[in-house]
Amino acid sequence: VGMSAQMAEYATFAALRYYRGFDRYAENAARYTWAPHAPPRLTDWPVGILGYGVLGHQVAQTLRSFGFPVHGWKRRPDDNADVPLYCGREQLADFLRATRLLICLLPLTPETREIINRETLALLPQGACVINLARGPLVNETDLIAALDSGRLAGLTTDVCCPEPAPADHPFWHHPKVLLTPHCAAITLRENAIAQIAGKIRALEAGQ
């Protein structure tokens, strides 16, 4: 399984966990509460992929196969995009307003550092969820915790944080609405990597 496939698996797990309410079932189980509920309409759970590149494309195709409506955001227009695309800072607000499940796949640059903050979180619909599979510094963690505490956000699933590894007193470990995993969404697999490197060496030697 390549890195893009692993990333799509993780994103799908997180999206389904919120859409089907498995996070609530886990809370109920801890209280020995038996409370089934019908799943909502998928059309009420639009997914926005913040950073629509190669990984974003793979994630989008996987989620679309489950029926999720998906749109993306990137800095520049892309005529080949296969989902509705928002572009540039001028369309970021509209992208966020249309997003209930926000999946972050941005690279970390001076422009994207803390792009998820009090102002941008306030643009998401009430009860939205954030899934960060990219880099910890993309998020202002204080603002994000405040959004969870206020009810603006319903949940956070994050594979990254600041610092890493997360110390025992990091708030993500302790918040009931947060699922933190140890930067494992897409792990480099040795055999796959060796095969790719060897293939590129052969292509180079063949003048390709």
Side-chain angles (χ1 to χ4, degrees), residues 96-192:
L96 293 169
R97 292 189 185 103
T99 298
R100 186 168 182 179
L101 289 172
L102 177 65
I103 299 178
C104 188
L105 289 170
L106 284 169
L108 179 62
T109 69
E111 291 75 26
T112 62
R113 183 176 292 274
E114 294 196 356
I115 191 172
I116 299 176
N117 55 49
R118 180 181 303 142
E119 289 74 24
T120 51
L121 289 169
L123 294 169
L124 292 168
Q126 184 77 22
C129 301
V130 173
I131 302 164
N132 187 8
L133 308 182
R135 294 289 181 265
L138 296 170
V139 172
N140 181 310
E141 294 181 346
T142 300
D143 290 353
L144 198 147
I145 291 293
L148 290 167
D149 288 342
S150 70
R152 159 61 59 182
L153 287 184
L156 166 68
T157 297
T158 182
D159 193 45
V160 291
C161 61
C162 295
E164 292 183 12
D169 61 350
H170 194 288
F172 285 176
W173 285 130
H174 305 282
H175 201 287
K177 294 182 181 179
V178 177
L179 174 61
L180 172 62
T181 56
H183 210 135
C184 62
I187 295 174
T188 300
L189 304 177
R190 180 175 298 182
E191 290 185 3
N192 288 26

Side-chain angles (χ1 to χ4, degrees), residues 15-30:
L16 289 173
R17 179 172 175 262
Y18 290 126
Y19 159 66
R20 288 295 308 272
F22 292 127
D23 55 336
R24 285 182 287 155
Y25 285 134
E27 294 174 1
N28 289 343

